[in-house]
Amino acid sequence: MAKRPTSDTGLDSKRRQFLKLAGASVAVGGFGLNVGLAHAGAGTGEAGDVLDVAIIGAGLAGLTAARDLQLAGSQSFVVLEARDRVGGRTLNFDMGNGHVSEVGGQWIGPGQTAVEDLARQLGVGTFPSFYEGNTVILGGDGRLEVDLKGTFGTDMTVAGKLSELSRDVPSGAPWNSPKAAELDKLSVGDWLAQQNIKPEDQPGWDASMTLSGGVTPAKMGLLHFLSMINSASCDYEKLDSIKDSAQGTRFVGGSQILSTRMAGQLGDKVRLQCPVRKIADWDREIVTLHTDQGLVRARKVIVAIHPALCNQVQFDPPLPQARAALQCAWPAHSPARKTAMVYSRPFWRDKGLNGHIIMLNGPIIWAWDNSPPNGEVGVINAFISNANLPSDPATAKRILTELYARAWGDEALQPVAYHDQDWGRDDPWSITCVSAIPPGFWTTHGEALRQACGNLIWSGTETADIWAGYMDGAVRAGHQSALQALNALRRV
Amino acid sequence: MKKWMLLGFITVVAGLLAVYGRDLLDLYRLMTHISTTNETAVADGGQWPRLTDACIGCHGAQGNSLHQGYPSLAGQPTPYLAAQLRHFASGERANPNMGPLAMSLSEADIQLLSQFFARHSAVENGSFKPDPALQEKGKKLVASGGCAACHGEGLMGRDQFPRLAGQGHDYLLTQLNAFALGRRKDPSGAMTAIVATLSVDDRKALAHYLAALAPVAK
């Protein structure tokens, strides 16, 4: 439970910081002067008290928002998290001896400056993804070793056309593209069908689209995919490659460390195992949240969860039609499954292999060397085609080690640990990973994405202006929602 | 061709195979795999990119899932599959993953997907290892409950009634529990009535028996 400030002096100091940040945000928001604080340092969330801000979700977005409020001097907020841990869709698998392998979101890349800055502020280091050496391609009885030089071997002529098209599709608001109506009628598949893609290149497009977009090309909206490329400086290669791309850099200590560090600084402001079941009176001055740990009352509520998860919350009164329709239609059919196989050392590197596997028509979509920075132990992570690998972890482990042995030799048959993370079934608090936005979605629902409803502020990576759906987008969305809350709490 | 030329050619090939043999064979097999799977996929589902490919990740190649939690669609009756997609879209059958996806499908998409999976053969659920006692109990419950009256001979499904034989264990148990808790309803209400007579252990036994039951060719 949150505590009251211990002294007025401390409170005044916090209030001054809060005012400073709120003042800065006014310049951005264009509000008038002569403002004062509404409620900083007021209620604590104890029974009967009213908080300034309640944040739903202790993922990167929610915790970043909370951190900003704290840095601004506010004491009057709480973060409500359904799970028994923080980090949302980032998760570290602890291998012991201080080593971890990420089994959720894990990479950052060029242009992802918000999450990079956050890491620096939290004292979290980065290191490059490992890709030097030959990738192994498996298909049927076949096998090929090839040096892809830190790429996925994409046909850059086709990728270049997509990059060019993305210039007209703003990352944060694809529905505002001058070509929105035309592009949103098409799936990426419709567009690729016109590009004479050779049969040997088709599996690569299927795999890339599945990993980056969450579905194969026929159900991926072209307008949405172009908005993703737009985030990557209008350069397909910066979105969907490894070297100098969005899969190029990892965090020392695993990506979840960003959230655990922030939560550590926030202390008892973060309440775990506290799912919000109902949000009442969101259109009135005081919003009431019904949680598994009782009622929480707040003036502003930052909703930092996936839009599809909002469907699990009851809103009273019901949300406006446009927002309700957006949530209801938000795609949630990309429940990624990620595995981590641990070896005593990265033995494949001795053979000139980079530990990467691209598999055609099998359980592995892509496997890669996910060892710690200096290769102290060997880790192979893999994105799994869920229904093409048995769900029983022991059987899955055996099948994967046999495939790894085909790729790199019999040493692969002797792993020391295995973790199997199926995000669709692990708990009810993710449902999906990335958002496979279909054709027609943005031109129908886009305007409702960020439109505040009463005292609800929509956050989460899906609302980000740049890199929506990525860790960087989550951090941007967190900053944005904290600014919105601070501005809204000012007394004009 | 002169004999020495032929001999020379064989010598060169033999030399190449000695140095690169395994790699060349592996590459040949990979290229063969790509061309044969491509031809099969085009004949089966039409030109790439295919709508049906969007389902593979959760429901398996040609609708046979190896995952006990994500259902197999292969061999399910077309009317059943089409009805479920419509029910997901309308919210009549609540599922957070399938609801929005089904909403994005046209009636033509629904027909295409339903017919595609219906015409593929169901395969045995080989990765599930049943508990023999539960399996035996489930077998008796299926016989006494007259499940085949609706679900067809061999529990292979018909019309609006799904194939149960060889379906994923976790999926079956989840559905039985959903009927018991009122979270899933069938149009006739028959399943709700039947499941109301089953204990928690009965439902477990049914799931074990059905998941391990080998599908028969239709």
Side-chain angles (χ1 to χ4, degrees):
Chain A
M1 191 65 77
K3 291 190 175 65
R4 287 176 186 282
T6 50
S7 76
D8 286 341
T9 311
L11 176 60
D12 285 341
S13 161
K14 298 281 187 192
R15 285 170 70 105
R16 279 194 296 278
Q17 288 176 36
F18 183 88
L19 187 59
K20 192 175 166 188
L21 193 122
S25 67
V26 161
V28 175
F31 287 89
L33 298 174
N34 293 327
V35 292
L37 274 180
H39 310 286
T44 65
E46 289 160 8
D49 288 341
V50 178
L51 293 162
D52 278 346
V53 185
I55 299 167
I56 305 175
L60 273 171
L63 291 171
T64 299
R67 182 171 178 270
D68 283 2
L69 294 180
Q70 189 181 50
L71 288 172
S74 173
Q75 291 286 318
S76 180
F77 68 90
V78 69
V79 185
L80 306 170
E81 169 55 46
R83 292 187 174 94
D84 60 0
R85 64 166 180 83
V86 298
R89 285 171 272 172
T90 60
L91 180 63
N92 285 352
F93 161 52
D94 187 345
M95 298 181 276
N97 298 321
H99 299 309
V100 300
S101 182
E102 309 92 329
V103 289
Q106 67 169 85
W107 295 286
I108 63 168
Q112 299 190 356
T113 51
V115 69
E116 202 176 7
D117 288 347
L118 176 67
R120 198 160 40 239
Q121 288 161 1
L122 295 171
V124 175
T126 61
F127 66 106
S129 304
F130 187 87
Y131 59 80
E132 290 90 357
N134 281 349
T135 295
V136 174
I137 299 174
L138 296 177
D141 295 333
R143 177 185 181 281
L144 174 67
E145 283 183 24
V146 58
D147 186 354
L148 294 173
K149 302 187 186 303
T151 75
F152 292 125
T154 306
D155 179 340
M156 290 315 294
T157 310
V158 178
K161 290 184 191 175
L162 286 168
S163 299
E164 193 58 36
L165 282 172
S166 77
R167 293 183 181 282
D168 287 330
V169 184
S171 57
W175 57 91
N176 285 336
S177 165
K179 297 179 180 169
E182 169 196 342
L183 294 171
D184 210 21
K185 284 181 189 156
L186 300 175
S187 69
V188 177
D190 293 331
W191 185 84
L192 285 172
Q194 300 161 13
Q195 308 302 317
N196 296 318
I197 308 288
K198 294 176 196 158
E200 58 267 34
D201 287 339
Q202 293 169 3
W205 285 101
D206 281 344
S208 282
M209 209 60 53
T210 301
L211 296 179
S212 294
V215 75
T216 48
K219 281 304 288 176
M220 186 77 199
L222 180 60
L223 185 69
H224 178 69
F225 191 61
L226 293 174
S227 79
M228 291 174 67
I229 302 172
N230 185 282
S231 267
S233 309
C234 300
D235 182 350
Y236 182 93
E237 197 75 347
K238 284 200 172 76
L239 178 79
D240 205 45
S241 190
I242 306 168
K243 184 187 175 194
D244 301 325
S245 183
Q247 286 65 237
T249 303
R250 295 170 58 200
F251 291 112
V252 178
S255 51
Q256 195 190 5
I257 198 173
L258 298 174
S259 292
T260 50
R261 290 238 169 126
M262 284 194 283
Q265 292 173 358
L266 291 163
D268 57 9
K269 297 285 192 203
V270 180
R271 284 186 217 168
L272 300 178
Q273 294 180 295
C274 191
V276 174
R277 308 291 183 180
K278 179 180 173 182
I279 301 178
D281 298 334
W282 53 264
D283 56 342
R284 307 183 74 161
E285 190 184 351
I286 308 297
V287 185
T288 302
L289 307 179
H290 297 247
T291 81
D292 285 6
Q293 296 179 25
L295 300 181
V296 173
R297 300 198 302 150
R299 294 179 176 85
K300 297 289 165 191
V301 176
I302 293 174
V303 186
I305 57 175
H306 188 284
L309 281 172
C310 295
N311 294 316
Q312 297 184 10
V313 179
Q314 184 192 346
F315 291 88
D316 180 18
L319 290 171
Q321 194 276 333
R323 172 69 200 189
L326 169 112
Q327 287 177 191
C328 191
W330 195 283
H333 53 270
S334 309
R337 181 176 173 191
K338 207 171 177 186
T339 57
M341 193 80 75
V342 186
Y343 295 95
S344 55
R345 52 185 300 277
F347 63 88
W348 49 87
R349 295 185 186 180
D350 303 341
K351 304 176 181 186
L353 300 167
N354 63 5
H356 294 214
I357 295 174
I358 295 170
M359 187 171 193
L360 313 175
N361 306 305
I364 299 168
I365 304 172
W366 179 44
W368 65 97
D369 182 331
N370 209 53
S371 307
N374 300 314
E376 301 93 330
V377 293
V379 184
I380 297 296
N381 268 21
F383 280 118
I384 297 300
S385 178
N386 219 327
N388 294 305
L389 186 71
S391 36
D392 166 46
T395 312
K397 177 185 175 187
R398 179 179 55 74
I399 291 171
L400 285 178
T401 53
E402 287 168 1
L403 289 169
Y404 294 167
R406 273 187 54 204
W408 312 310
D410 286 348
E411 296 106 305
L413 296 171
Q414 306 297 330
V416 295
Y418 174 70
H419 183 81
D420 196 323
Q421 181 75 24
D422 182 351
W423 284 87
R425 300 181 61 79
D426 199 46
D427 63 38
W429 309 119
S430 289
I431 304 180
T432 192
C433 293
V434 294
S435 297
I437 302 285
F441 185 92
W442 282 134
T443 45
T444 308
H445 300 292
E447 294 289 353
L449 177 63
R450 301 188 196 93
Q451 209 160 52
C453 297
N455 287 309
L456 304 180
I457 297 167
W458 304 111
S459 185
T461 183
E462 286 74 19
T463 67
D465 269 341
I466 305 176
W467 290 110
Y470 285 70
M471 292 191 286
D472 186 70
V475 175
R476 289 174 193 271
H479 289 317
Q480 175 66 25
S481 57
L483 274 180
Q484 282 179 258
L486 289 169
N487 263 329
L489 287 165
R490 293 158 56 82
R491 196 173 48 212
V492 179
Chain B
M1 188 185 289
K2 289 184 187 293
K3 195 175 271 183
W4 63 267
M5 280 178 67
L6 183 63
L7 280 172
F9 175 74
I10 290 170
T11 307
V12 169
V13 170
L16 279 172
L17 277 173
V19 179
Y20 301 109
R22 209 195 72 189
D23 288 350
L24 277 175
L25 190 59
D26 282 346
L27 176 61
Y28 172 76
R29 284 173 172 163
L30 183 67
M31 298 309 290
T32 305
H33 174 77
I34 290 171
S35 64
T36 53
T37 51
N38 181 57
E39 284 163 17
T40 306
V42 170
D44 191 28
Q47 290 295 329
W48 181 88
R50 288 169 286 273
L51 177 63
T52 48
D53 289 346
C55 312
I56 290 175
C58 291
H59 299 290
Q62 300 181 328
N64 282 300
S65 170
L66 302 176
H67 192 295
Q68 299 303 319
Y70 297 101
S72 289
L73 307 179
Q76 294 290 2
T78 305
Y80 171 76
L81 289 175
Q84 299 315 300
L85 286 171
R86 291 188 200 105
H87 291 168
F88 284 132
S90 70
E92 193 175 330
R93 182 174 174 188
N95 182 282
N97 305 109
M98 284 305 298
L101 178 57
M103 285 168 68
S104 73
L105 298 174
S106 67
E107 183 56 31
D109 291 341
I110 288 175
Q111 287 301 324
L112 184 150
L113 291 168
S114 305
Q115 288 166 14
F116 175 84
F117 290 112
R119 73 167 177 265
H120 283 98
S121 299
V123 300
E124 202 168 344
N125 183 0
S127 64
F128 177 67
K129 305 287 176 251
D131 174 278
L134 284 173
Q135 193 179 14
E136 189 56 32
K137 182 179 177 183
K139 185 178 181 179
K140 287 176 184 161
L141 284 167
V142 163
S144 62
C147 302
C150 289
H151 291 279
E153 193 180 341
L155 305 178
M156 287 300 292
R158 62 182 183 85
D159 298 330
Q160 292 289 341
F161 303 98
R163 163 174 76 86
L164 306 177
Q167 186 55 280
H169 165 268
D170 299 2
Y171 173 77
L172 286 165
L173 188 57
T174 302
Q175 299 313 305
L176 287 167
N177 289 338
F179 280 118
L181 296 167
R183 290 180 187 155
R184 183 176 174 186
K185 292 185 169 62
D186 58 317
S188 69
M191 277 307 294
T192 306
I194 291 165
V195 171
T197 67
L198 300 173
S199 68
V200 171
D201 285 345
D202 289 345
R203 300 199 289 265
K204 283 183 186 167
L206 277 173
H208 271 252
Y209 171 69
L210 294 169
L213 183 63
V216 293
K218 282 190 177 176

